[in-house]
Amino acid sequence: MVCLKDPLVQKICEFYEKISMLDSLKPSKDVDTLFTQLVFMCMPPYPIDVTKLCKKIQEIRSKLIRLCGEAEGLLEKHYSSILGSFDNPLEHLDIFPYFSNYLKLSLLEFNILSQHSKGVPNRVAFVGSGPLPLTSIVLASYHMTSTTFHNYDIDSSANSMASHLVKSHPDLSKRMIFHTTDIMNVTSALKDYDVVFLAALVGMNKDEKVRIVEHLNQHMAPGALLMLRSAHGARAFLYPVVDPCDLRGFEVLSVFHPTDEVINSVIIARKSPFSMHSSIDQGFGPLMLCSICAEIQVFNPLSQMNMIEELAAEKHHS
């Protein structure tokens, strides 16, 4: 049982105490410093299984993930507001301090998606898009230049800020659609999407995540792809973990755990054309996961990053 004797767990608990004592999680020198230090501490590969944490540390981890999620939301609102003050907000995305991470994560997800998709998707849903929908913007700008993105968020103010960022863009204003609703209330519309992206912070614990995945399985079109963000190792103190075995009704195609500054792991699964529990009950889920994980770890999804960063620079200076 992992407990406070683990040196990394001790340090993370110290950070939790400091963060939980902050008066506000809005961007500030103290907030930025604490979260930056926490992230850098959790980035290196570390042999820890968060499912084996003792009850006390499990509770601290859950609270820390919620604090990280709240701080991330406030950070995105802060920068969305700043970007919204420009005449052409999308020309200034690089002022967001983690923009380069989104470039890399979006490229990673697109390359993984391309391995398992017959072509570029026509319609994509992004669940939990937030006030600064950088994944949708980057994918729509560089990788899926004809795809329509339907962005779902439960927060009307977040959607208002997000839609403001793209309304002056002649192309993205037509291909970025925003829906203010709980995804659990979306049913028949889910059948219209070739791919559904589920943001890391939609479903803050295992039970919530499983409930959302079951809803998606019930209403997505057979054969449609589901892209999920998870976390691995010590990074699981920052984001919820998606257990591939919980993706009932989906065939898990691959799992990728980055080891660089891209924090989130990426899981891609296909909605089964068969009954809800067939792939797991027959054992295909775990078996396929093991074989494909072994293959995809050697895949270098960042090999095109120089090209993408050059494209971003060209758009910024044009």
Side-chain angles (χ1 to χ4, degrees), residues 95-247:
I95 69 170
F96 184 65
Y98 303 107
F99 181 56
S100 63
N101 289 30
Y102 275 92
L103 286 173
K104 292 181 179 181
L105 177 57
S106 298
L107 177 60
L108 164 62
E109 290 176 325
F110 175 72
N111 284 346
I112 292 174
L113 178 63
S114 297
Q115 290 188 325
H116 300 285
S117 178
K118 295 179 181 179
V120 178
N122 290 319
R123 291 166 61 91
V124 166
F126 193 98
V127 182
S129 47
L132 189 58
L134 286 175
T135 300
S136 292
I137 290 172
V138 172
L139 287 173
S141 299
Y142 302 131
H143 308 300
M144 304 180 189
T145 55
S146 61
T147 303
T148 300
F149 286 77
H150 288 253
N151 300 282
Y152 287 87
D153 202 282
I154 201 169
D155 185 346
S156 60
S157 65
N159 272 339
S160 178
M161 297 178 81
S163 60
H164 179 70
L165 297 179
V166 300
K167 72 175 185 179
S168 63
H169 194 280
D171 176 35
L172 294 195
S173 60
K174 299 175 184 176
R175 293 193 291 120
M176 295 274 281
I177 300 167
F178 297 89
H179 305 273
T180 300
T181 185
D182 186 333
I183 196 62
M184 297 297 289
N185 296 326
V186 182
T187 55
S188 59
L190 286 169
K191 288 183 170 59
D192 297 335
Y193 303 117
D194 306 305
V195 183
V196 175
F197 284 81
L198 187 63
L201 295 173
V202 177
M204 296 292 284
N205 57 47
K206 181 183 177 74
D207 291 341
E208 291 176 10
K209 211 68 122 165
V210 167
R211 190 167 59 91
I212 293 168
V213 168
E214 287 178 347
H215 177 78
L216 295 175
N217 172 59
Q218 184 178 356
H219 296 288
M220 283 173 60
L225 295 171
L226 176 63
M227 299 284 293
L228 307 98
R229 292 174 181 174
S230 182
H232 183 67
R235 299 169 183 221
F237 282 95
L238 307 174
Y239 289 101
V241 173
V242 176
D243 186 341
C245 294
D246 290 332
L247 302 181

Side-chain angles (χ1 to χ4, degrees), residues 35-52:
F35 278 104
T36 299
Q37 291 174 343
L38 174 64
V39 170
F40 273 105
M41 187 173 61
C42 294
M43 276 177 59
Y46 194 82
I48 188 169
D49 183 351
V50 295
T51 64
K52 297 180 180 178

Side-chain angles (χ1 to χ4, degrees), residues 1 5 18 27 49-50 64 85 113 125 128 135 161 199 245 279 314:
M1 185 72 72
K5 294 180 181 179
K18 292 178 182 178
D49 183 351
V50 295
L64 184 57
S85 67
L113 178 63
T135 300
M161 297 178 81
C245 294
S279 63
E314 287 176 7

Side-chain angles (χ1 to χ4, degrees), residues 283-299:
F284 296 146
L287 289 174
M288 176 166 286
L289 176 61
C290 293
S291 63
I292 292 186
C293 277
E295 294 175 8
I296 200 165
Q297 295 304 319
V298 301
F299 168 57

